[in-house]
């Protein structure tokens, strides 16, 4: 394994760029140990500026030269790309799928059971070292190889190892939900702008408050409802705002959005069965 890239990426879009940015910022491994192949070279060139990341000319060459291969293409491209690289895989290669659309069994079938496969579900905040990644690995993945994947994602945020039965839930919980938080932040900032604050300042206030509130949930050990109560003075302005949000169906709307994400994941999985 020594003369191969430690980590090879196929595709260089939003999610792969976020992972590589996180790895580079945290100095997780020498950038010369990261190989990337993609259909379009421009994103690789942007990422490899000021680093030693290696642009590899084809997916097969990348597969041949990498110990751990993170497949970062869209779900529709997975069958083609995995079929394309199958003959280049070594028996000790590990494929990491980051798409919610295929089970471990489906992925193994696509590569004719040539090597180990593991599933991860990261999110774009990995780019700033504050990601959340779920990992599920079958028992036949050797512990030291599984640990290399845990270490990679831990270098850019939190990691939880979960059973495959929970993987469909993760996109709503953390994979897709950054988009939900961005919309909420934008809407909150719109209101603040309406009330007179300059837009950049409004984003700064809202985003810092989201960050601090998230840290309180993670670090205080308190129930989110208790933390909410601690902000609400009797007869005060916060509870007036909350009453309005409840009247407009905030909780039900959020639960419906999360469930729509989950339903879509299940539908996408069924299509590929
Ligand atoms: N975005 C997220 O927040 C997120 C979160 C969790 C998981 N994921 C998963 O991550 C995967 C990628 O999503 P994304 O949002 O990063 O998509 P994306 O931005 O569209 O990136 C896909 C990349 O794959 C490249 N590509 C397409 N076909 C290829 C091929 N045959 N060989 C090599 N490269 C090829 C694309 O090249 P071009 O530039 O030429 O199109 C592009 O660089 C998906 O499976 C998704 O489910 C994404």
């Amino acid at each position: 394994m020594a003369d191969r890239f430690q980590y090879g990426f196929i595709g260089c879009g939003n999610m792969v760029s976020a992972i590589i940015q996180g790895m580079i910022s945290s100095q997780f491994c020498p950038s010369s140990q990261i190989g990337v192949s993609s259909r379009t070279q421009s994103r690789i060139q942007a990422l490899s500026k000021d680093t030693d990341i290696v642009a590899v000319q084809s997916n097969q060459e990348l597969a041949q030269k990498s110990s751990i291969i993170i497949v970062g293409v869209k779900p529709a491209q997975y069958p083609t790309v995995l079929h394309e690289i199958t003959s280049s895989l070594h028996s000790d290669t590990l494929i990491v799928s980051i798409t919610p659309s295929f089970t471990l069994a489906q992925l193994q079938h696509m590569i004719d059971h040539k090597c180990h496969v593991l599933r991860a579900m990261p999110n774009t905040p990995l780019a700033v070292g504050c990601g959340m990644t779920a990992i599920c690995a079958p028992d036949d993945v050797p512990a030291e190889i599984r640990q290399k994947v845990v270490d990679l994602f831990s270098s850019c945020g939190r990691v939880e190892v979960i059973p495959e039965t929970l993987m469909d839930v993760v996109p709503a919980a953390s994979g897709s939900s950054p988009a939900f938080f961005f919309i909420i932040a934008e809407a909150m900032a719109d209101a603040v702008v309406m009330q007179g604050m300059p837009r950049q300042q409004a984003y700064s206030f809202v985003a810092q408050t989201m960050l601090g509130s998230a840290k309180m949930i993670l670090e205080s050990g308190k129930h989110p409802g208790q933390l909410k109560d601690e902000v609400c003075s009797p007869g005060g302005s916060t509870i007036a705002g909350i009453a309005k949000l409840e009247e407009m169906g905030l909780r039900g709307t959020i639960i419906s959005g999360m469930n729509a994400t989950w339903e879509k994941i299940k539908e996408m999985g069924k299509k590929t069965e």
Side-chain angles (χ1 to χ4, degrees):
M1 268 184 150
D3 53 351
R4 290 190 249 157
F5 298 119
Q6 278 188 52
Y7 299 96
F9 291 85
I10 298 182
C12 193
N14 296 319
M15 197 57 246
V16 165
S17 299
I19 298 170
I20 294 178
Q21 280 168 36
M23 289 170 83
I24 290 171
S25 303
S26 67
Q27 300 183 320
F28 171 66
C29 69
S31 52
S32 58
Q33 285 297 312
I34 302 173
V36 189
S37 69
S38 192
R39 195 166 54 186
T40 313
Q41 295 297 305
S42 52
R43 291 287 284 273
I44 306 183
Q45 281 157 8
L47 269 180
S48 58
K49 200 168 161 280
D50 304 325
T51 72
D52 293 327
I53 288 174
V54 182
V56 179
Q57 292 312 311
S58 73
N59 296 337
Q60 287 102 326
E61 186 187 347
L62 189 283
Q64 177 74 27
K65 291 184 172 170
S66 304
S67 300
I68 294 176
I69 302 168
I70 295 98
V71 183
V73 298
K74 290 284 192 200
Q77 275 110 35
Y78 258 72
T80 310
V81 166
L82 290 183
H83 179 69
E84 188 187 352
I85 64 171
T86 296
S87 60
S88 308
L89 298 170
H90 304 266
S91 59
D92 63 351
T93 306
L94 174 71
I95 300 266
V96 178
S97 161
I98 58 168
T99 186
S101 300
F102 302 109
T103 62
L104 289 166
Q106 289 170 323
L107 293 159
Q108 275 293 358
H109 181 69
M110 286 179 211
I111 56 155
D112 292 338
H113 301 264
K114 284 273 301 261
C115 65
H116 299 297
V117 177
L118 174 157
R119 290 178 64 189
M121 181 49 47
N123 64 12
T124 53
L126 267 84
V128 292
C130 207
M132 180 71 225
T133 305
I135 288 176
C136 95
D139 291 340
D140 67 351
V141 175
E144 71 276 12
I145 299 184
R146 179 194 307 216
Q147 192 57 45
K148 283 188 177 177
V149 178
V150 171
D151 291 346
L152 156 64
F153 288 108
S154 299
S155 75
C156 345
R158 286 177 180 243
V159 171
E160 288 211 19
V161 179
I162 61 170
E164 189 165 31
T165 47
L166 278 182
M167 284 302 274
D168 282 356
V169 181
V170 176
S174 59
S176 305
S177 59
F180 306 161
F181 288 116
F182 294 137
I183 290 182
I184 292 167
E186 194 184 18
M188 290 176 82
D190 281 347
V192 178
V193 169
M194 197 174 151
Q195 292 155 17
M197 186 181 276
R199 183 159 287 277
Q200 283 310 317
Q201 202 171 19
Y203 288 142
S204 171
F205 273 76
V206 168
Q208 177 64 22
T209 304
M210 279 182 134
L211 188 65
S213 305
K215 264 176 93 74
M216 285 188 82
I217 295 175
L218 289 171
E219 293 174 11
S220 71
K222 292 181 183 174
H223 186 288
Q226 184 183 347
L227 293 167
K228 179 263 292 172
D229 288 350
E230 288 170 6
V231 190
C232 295
S233 312
S237 55
T238 308
I239 196 68
I242 286 174
K244 190 53 151 181
L245 290 171
E246 297 288 14
E247 185 189 319
M248 304 299 286
L250 178 75
R251 284 174 202 252
T253 304
I254 289 173
I255 291 169
S256 296
M258 301 282 282
N259 282 342
T261 300
W262 178 60
E263 294 288 354
K264 184 71 183 178
I265 296 291
K266 288 196 298 179
E267 185 189 311
M268 287 159 75
K270 280 209 185 82
K271 268 190 203 154
T272 55
E273 271 171 11

